[in-house]
Amino acid sequence: MAGQRLIWLVIAALVPLMPAVTACGGGESATRTAAKGVNAVRIEVTPVQRMTVQRQVELNGTLVSPDQASVSSEVSGVVREVLVEMGHEIKPGQVLVKLEPQELELALRQAQSQLHQTEAQLGMDGAGQTEPPPDAEISTIRTAVANRDDARAQATRASQLMRQGLLTQADYDTTQTRLKVTDAAYQSAVEQVRSLRASLQQRRAAVELAQKKLNDAIIRSPIGGSVSERLVQPGEFIRENTPVVTIVQMSTLKLKTAIQEKYAAQMRPGLAAEFRVESMPDEVFRGRLAYVSPAVDQATRTFPVEILVDNSDRRLKPGFFAKGNILTRTDENVLALPDAAISTLAGDSSVFIVNQNKVTKQPVTLGARSGNLVEIVTGIKGDEMLATTSLSELADGVAVAIGKKGSAPASEAGSPASPDGERGGRRGGGRRGGRS
């Protein structure tokens, strides 16, 4: 009985030593198992890359003509001739429409006749004389002055005869009355001349207005551009302010759009813009930011901007919808990864950092895209190695083996490795042999 108890005590003492013995005896086997990648996910890796990012703000807007004129008639009349058609290129001052001028010519002659009558009353000979003579030289005033002076002389003699008793009271009163009448006639003549002087200016203005209306019977274009609408026909009677032709400027267009409030600090005149239109989807058009509104719309939280676009080839048309970007600034040496290294689930993006044969899941924030590279805004430092394959099989702490399918796995994924995994696999094999 005592012997059996001794045997059990020996066994109990040896049991704790068995793992150590097993480890010593099986160490080489365990190393081979790890080296062969048993229970490890085979992956490829990539270092963090760098790229240059062109920062931009998206735009959606409409092309419009910077100068658009609805040309109207300034006078009434019958349309005699329309000299343009829709789509015609127009130069400033070019004749668009002609109206029948006969009635306007008669009105001009009437105004000229009334002007000549007033000039004659003021003693103007009309031979280049632009100002009326002095009042003393005008015939009506000269006549009034002569009558007044004669009446004064008669009144003076009548007073002398009255004192001598040689003139009756009735004759004396007659001379005094005549003096008052001539004084009044003189004042009336002076006022009439003043009225004629004012009327002279009015008559001249009437002649100028009649001449302008006659000139307006020929309707000219105020701007250069293209005819977008022809609104009248020959023989049609039109009234004042009736639109006859609509002209749009085509050589330069404006792209009107609205930018979100958060980009207000980045918008400034001179920034380049690129956009496409639906009718020519494969071609990129360019312009320059010209005008930025100082106020934000409180309802939409956006502010208007206008981009000037050269359209000398007339390929773009007002009304086109444009979609593109405003180029704000260029950032160099930005951290970036290929698409293959990024796992996105439910809108959250992450990468798997490889270190010491294991991976660590790291959330990242994505930024701009250039080709197959995506900017990493936050989440990595720039010196990591990241998995690019088998991302769906990875999780925090999962063991990995670096190398392409069919190649020897690396023993240490944390060691420097190239994306192709071949050199890293050979280095891993050398270390494994050294430890064994």
Side-chain angles (χ1 to χ4, degrees):
M1 193 67 182
Q4 186 176 4
R5 182 179 179 82
L6 180 60
I7 292 172
W8 281 108
L9 290 174
V10 172
I11 292 174
L14 293 175
V15 167
L17 299 177
M18 291 178 63
V21 174
T22 303
C24 293
E28 184 177 351
S29 176
T31 302
R32 288 198 191 96
T33 300
K36 292 178 180 180
V38 177
N39 296 327
V41 178
R42 184 71 57 83
I43 64 168
E44 297 178 26
V45 297
T46 182
V48 178
Q49 301 184 34
R50 308 280 174 162
M51 71 175 184
T52 299
V53 176
Q54 173 63 67
R55 303 298 181 186
Q56 53 194 20
V57 177
E58 185 177 355
L59 68 86
N60 295 281
T62 303
L63 290 168
V64 299
S65 173
D67 289 322
Q68 179 170 328
S70 181
V71 184
S72 300
S73 173
E74 297 189 39
V75 295
S76 301
V78 176
V79 178
R80 174 193 284 183
E81 190 177 3
V82 181
L83 302 175
V84 295
E85 295 289 346
M86 184 173 63
H88 281 185
E89 286 289 329
I90 301 299
K91 296 180 180 180
Q94 183 173 335
V95 177
L96 306 174
V97 177
K98 291 183 178 180
L99 303 181
E100 182 59 49
Q102 183 176 2
E103 185 176 349
L104 300 173
E105 290 174 348
L106 293 174
L108 175 59
R109 292 175 188 173
Q110 182 179 9
Q112 290 173 337
S113 176
Q114 292 173 346
L115 173 62
H116 295 330
Q117 181 181 3
T118 302
E119 289 176 342
Q121 291 174 336
L122 289 172
M124 300 175 65
D125 56 15
Q129 187 176 357
T130 58
E131 294 297 329
D135 290 353
E137 298 179 11
I138 297 174
S139 60
T140 54
I141 293 184
R142 291 205 309 267
T143 300
V145 170
N147 291 334
R148 183 194 62 181
D149 292 344
D150 180 62
R152 284 179 178 177
Q154 293 287 348
T156 302
R157 287 194 295 270
S159 296
Q160 294 174 354
L161 293 173
M162 187 66 179
R163 286 194 296 270
Q164 296 173 3
L166 300 177
L167 188 66
T168 64
Q169 184 66 41
D171 291 337
Y172 176 77
D173 291 341
T174 299
T175 58
Q176 294 299 316
T177 300
R178 183 171 180 272
L179 177 60
K180 293 179 182 179
V181 170
T182 55
D183 280 340
Y186 172 76
Q187 292 298 326
S188 176
V190 171
E191 292 172 359
Q192 182 182 4
V193 169
R194 291 175 181 173
S195 176
L196 288 173
R197 289 181 181 274
S199 180
L200 176 65
Q201 302 302 320
Q202 181 182 0
R203 301 298 188 194
R204 285 175 173 174
V207 170
E208 292 177 0
L209 180 59
Q211 183 65 60
K212 179 183 181 301
K213 288 187 175 183
L214 180 59
N215 294 338
D216 290 340
I218 300 177
I219 304 174
R220 301 177 183 274
S221 173
I223 63 173
S226 298
V227 176
S228 63
E229 289 183 287
R230 168 182 157 166
L231 303 172
V232 296
Q233 302 296 331
E236 180 180 354
F237 177 81
I238 60 175
R239 299 188 179 276
E240 294 181 6
N241 301 321
T242 299
V244 295
V245 170
T246 300
I247 299 174
V248 294
Q249 188 183 58
M250 295 289 292
S251 60
T252 301
L253 296 181
K254 276 184 182 179
L255 173 52
K256 289 189 173 182
T257 185
I259 303 299
Q260 296 181 27
E261 177 184 3
K262 62 182 179 180
Y263 299 118
Q266 302 179 31
M267 294 298 105
R268 63 184 184 277
L271 291 178
E274 298 177 345
F275 64 92
R276 300 176 188 268
V277 295
E278 187 174 354
S279 61
M280 293 171 278
D282 297 330
E283 186 163 356
V284 177
F285 296 91
R286 293 173 174 81
R288 288 283 174 183
L289 184 62
Y291 309 107
V292 180
S293 173
V296 174
D297 188 319
Q298 296 183 4
T300 62
R301 309 314 305 176
T302 61
F303 58 96
V305 300
E306 295 181 353
I307 298 167
L308 291 182
V309 181
D310 178 57
N311 190 39
S312 54
D313 55 5
R314 303 298 195 272
R315 300 180 64 195
L316 297 173
K317 298 184 181 297
F320 273 6
F321 177 76
K323 187 173 183 180
N325 298 285
I326 298 175
L327 310 181
T328 55
R329 70 177 191 276
T330 302
D331 291 340
E332 299 181 353
N333 205 29
V334 173
L335 301 182
L337 289 174
D339 283 325
I342 302 170
S343 174
T344 301
L345 181 62
D348 296 328
S349 298
S350 59
V351 297
F352 291 94
I353 300 174
V354 181
N355 187 26
Q356 299 296 329
N357 284 338
K358 292 184 178 181
V359 295
T360 302
K361 185 176 182 180
Q362 175 63 44
V364 293
T365 303
L366 306 184
R369 178 181 294 273
S370 177
N372 71 327
L373 292 180
V374 181
E375 176 191 9
I376 306 300
V377 180
T378 61
I380 60 175
K381 298 178 181 179
D383 57 354
E384 299 92 340
M385 279 289 176
L386 303 112
T388 59
T389 59
S390 304
L391 301 189
S392 61
E393 303 176 36
L394 301 181
D396 260 333
V398 170
V400 294
I402 299 175
K404 293 183 178 180
K405 291 182 179 181
S407 64
S411 63
E412 292 184 8
S415 62
S418 64
D420 59 17
E422 294 176 358
R423 293 194 302 271
R426 288 196 296 270
R427 286 197 298 269
R431 287 174 184 154
R432 184 168 64 249
R435 280 201 304 270
S436 63

